[in-house]
Amino acid sequence: MTPAEKITAHVAQLTSAGMLRVDLARAAGIDPSMLSKYARGIRNPRPGAVSGMRAVPPTPRIVDQDGMNTTDRILEEWGF
């Protein structure tokens, strides 16, 4: 299995558990746009990105340093 296939499979597992891709990318320490490029096969991930992604546990929300998760931040900033 190629590194990109490993990331795609892991992302699919985590998103099916309810995790947002932006939270997953943030938790892995990569830019969300790079995660998208990896998933679409446009870019090949470096070994550090693969290990960072595989280290993310399946949890529906990742909390920022200020105690907010991505969903709550979007709702607050956009006034939904």
Side-chain angles (χ1 to χ4, degrees):
M1 186 179 277
T2 68
E5 291 171 336
K6 289 179 185 178
I7 283 184
T8 302
H10 193 62
V11 168
Q13 177 188 10
L14 295 175
T15 56
S16 69
M19 189 173 212
L20 298 175
R21 283 181 178 229
V22 66
D23 287 334
L24 174 57
R26 187 177 290 163
I30 61 172
D31 190 87
S33 66
M34 289 305 292
L35 176 59
S36 177
K37 290 174 184 175
Y38 298 154
R40 292 182 289 154
I42 294 172
R43 298 280 306 262
N44 287 323
R46 293 182 180 175
V50 174
S51 61
M53 294 292 294
R54 296 190 52 87
V56 176
T59 180
R61 295 182 176 189
I62 300 294
V63 176
D64 288 343
Q65 299 87 353
D66 62 358
M68 291 185 77
N69 63 54
T70 303
T71 304
D72 291 341
R73 183 174 309 288
I74 291 169
L75 293 174
E76 180 182 278
E77 290 179 3
W78 289 86
F80 290 108

